[in-house]
Amino acid sequence: ERVDPAAAANPDLHLNRATLLQYLERFQGALEGLSRAAELSPGWDEPRKRHGNLLEFLSRLCGLLATRGKLRGKRRRGLAGPVPLPLLGPLGGAGGPRPSPIAGLRPGP
């Protein structure tokens, strides 16, 4: 866009940038890019379809965050607890790193 101002009117540019922003989890910019692509090419359904999909994803995400993933207390506490050593694979074996509380961490390897 900076090199060629005419590129600002290219809906593909806005769609591609919106896709990148979505993967970077910069959802506001992604929604704006998809809206701009839809404005620039009214007959192209892809930007509107992706905009709707992203809004639906964000709505579901907000719902899960509000209900803490629809998990009940005991299951949620189990997930939030320490990771069992066998699940750490080679990191949990003899001589490997051990889990430490955040307060016990110090600079170094």
Side-chain angles (χ1 to χ4, degrees):
E1 284 179 301
R2 288 179 220 132
V3 175
D4 182 11
N10 183 344
D12 285 320
L13 172 79
H14 293 283
L15 181 75
N16 291 338
R17 183 183 309 144
T19 302
L20 173 67
L21 291 172
Q22 183 175 349
Y23 282 107
L24 293 173
E25 297 181 0
R26 293 172 46 193
F27 299 118
Q28 183 63 40
L31 289 169
E32 291 168 2
L34 292 169
S35 294
R36 183 70 179 135
E39 289 172 12
L40 292 171
S41 184
W44 192 22
D45 291 334
E46 189 66 22
R48 276 183 291 289
K49 184 175 105 180
R50 288 190 187 188
H51 190 275
N53 289 344
L54 182 54
L55 283 177
E56 181 183 335
F57 167 76
L58 292 172
S59 174
R60 284 186 287 131
L61 179 63
C62 289
L64 288 171
L65 289 171
T67 62
R68 295 188 174 132
K70 297 182 182 177
L71 295 175
R72 296 187 183 185
K74 185 175 180 180
R75 176 75 173 139
R76 189 173 59 244
R77 284 189 299 277
L79 289 174
V83 177
L85 291 178
L87 293 179
L88 292 175
L91 297 177
R98 294 282 185 227
S100 300
I102 297 286
L105 296 177
R106 301 286 177 254

